[in-house]
Amino acid sequence: MISRRDFLKSAAKVVAGASIPLAAIEILAPARVHALKTDSSIRWAFLVDTYKCVGCGFCVKACKNENEIPYDANVTRTWVERYVLTKDGKLYADSPKGARDGFTGTKIDLGMGHYQDIKKEDIKKAFFVPKLCNQCDNPPCVQVCPVGATYQAPDGVVMVDRKWCIGCGYCIMACPYGVRFFHPKYHTAEKCNFCYHRITKGLKTACVQACPFGARQIGNIKDPNDPVAKAITTERVGILKSEYGTKPQVFYIGLDEEVR
Amino acid sequence: MKNHIFRPLWVVIGLVVLILIIRPFYVPKDFGIHERGYMYGWYRKSNIEDWKKVSVKYQGKEYCGSCHPDKVESIDRTPHAVIQCENCHGPALEHPSDPPKLAIDRTREQCLRCHAKLVYPSSGRANIRGIDPDKHNPGVECVMCHNPHNPILEGLK
């Protein structure tokens, strides 16, 4: 039989013991709070107008040259997809060489050397969709990196530390948008970083500059006077794969349900 | 317990201690938890500066216009004003010092990027004047007849 004194003693011990780990967490927390408070006044965001894109592929060409991605290797930081919906309900989509050389014919690349020519009378809808890294607010590629080689900079851009990357490829598997690949030369994970060396100098990204039709735009979403921020916040824009909860920061005008 | 059980244990403990001693010297001071916390902000901070150091290759039309104002002015009077010089002339890099001469892309494929007719109603491509590459003088370079700096049909060579 336990006495009242012993019961109270044990109870006090349990409460004290249980509160120690909680207190320890409380001590760690302010550093984290401080880190969260030092917020950047810049948050880069991208706006793509799919109505304006003509599939010329100048963006892909410029990106590969600017970011030193081997030109003939079939990998690219940005690419353009073509979607063709026919009147009999079929969907065709292709992006030969990531549209590095643009779309110069009506034949759809089905892969394995097969092509499908679609007559203009059969087309219901057809359009181009440029793709690039979404610089997600909740980047799944960063969560899975076991060595801290990929991270989100304070201005929202997700980058890869080539010195730190061990080439495990977890991030390549984790990205729902398939924007990551191995750099053929450095053998580390590679991705679009909004031309970080350009945007931090006040320039536009190589793809934005190369686009003759203004289909691609980049801006600071935290600046209320930024025309791109205004467009994103006031116009009807869509994002890719919202169901993943990644909060992508590349916004699309004229996004169709067929686009994945 | 017997010595042969403890011996590998000492080896393991020794390794752990050795790693803990080396770690502070090996891991850079700026590697750690930054702005976005452990989940998104665990990285080597100086890598941000590494990425800023990448060289700019595409200098833009204004850079070209500072030495070639006549060329920029003439193309600006045509529908091709929207195209960056470097889309055809190649990235300027450090031109004129390096490289002193740029390699111009005069291929038929370069023009076909936009001017191969694709009737895609909801895309801007449908509004661009285009040709069927298989029927319109196949195999001939477009620049044989057309001047890309003055592309209107009246400007045919």
Side-chain angles (χ1 to χ4, degrees), chain B residues 12-151:
Chain B
V12 170
I13 290 169
L15 276 174
V16 168
V17 170
L18 191 71
I19 289 166
L20 287 175
I21 291 168
I22 294 169
R23 198 176 177 276
F25 296 100
Y26 183 72
V27 178
K29 287 280 167 291
D30 58 341
F31 185 89
I33 300 168
H34 299 295
E35 286 79 4
R36 285 224 56 198
Y38 178 64
M39 198 187 277
Y40 301 121
W42 183 56
Y43 65 105
R44 187 171 62 95
K45 193 132 199 176
S46 53
N47 184 242
I48 291 183
E49 298 307 314
D50 294 349
W51 278 112
K52 285 182 185 171
K53 279 184 210 137
V54 175
S55 64
V56 172
K57 282 109 192 155
Y58 283 83
Q59 307 287 358
K61 204 171 181 176
E62 277 153 39
Y63 180 86
C64 309
S66 58
C67 295
H68 308 285
D70 49 322
K71 300 281 184 196
V72 172
E73 225 169 82
S74 74
I75 203 168
D76 274 352
R77 287 195 292 268
T78 77
H80 276 179
V82 292
I83 302 172
Q84 286 285 330
C85 311
E86 290 162 300
N87 281 2
C88 303
H89 291 260
L93 305 165
E94 298 301 318
H95 176 78
S97 58
D98 178 35
K101 214 167 159 54
L102 299 177
I104 307 170
D105 189 346
R106 292 192 179 88
T107 58
R108 187 177 165 90
E109 286 69 34
Q110 177 80 347
C111 308
L112 291 179
R113 283 168 177 266
C114 295
H115 293 293
K117 192 70 186 169
L118 293 178
V119 188
Y120 293 169
S122 63
S123 162
R125 183 65 169 254
N127 307 324
I128 299 175
R129 298 173 76 170
I131 52 123
D132 182 340
D134 298 331
K135 290 183 182 141
H136 185 93
N137 304 319
V140 180
E141 299 290 294
C142 311
V143 292
M144 294 285 281
C145 303
H146 302 269
N147 176 5
H149 281 207
N150 186 17

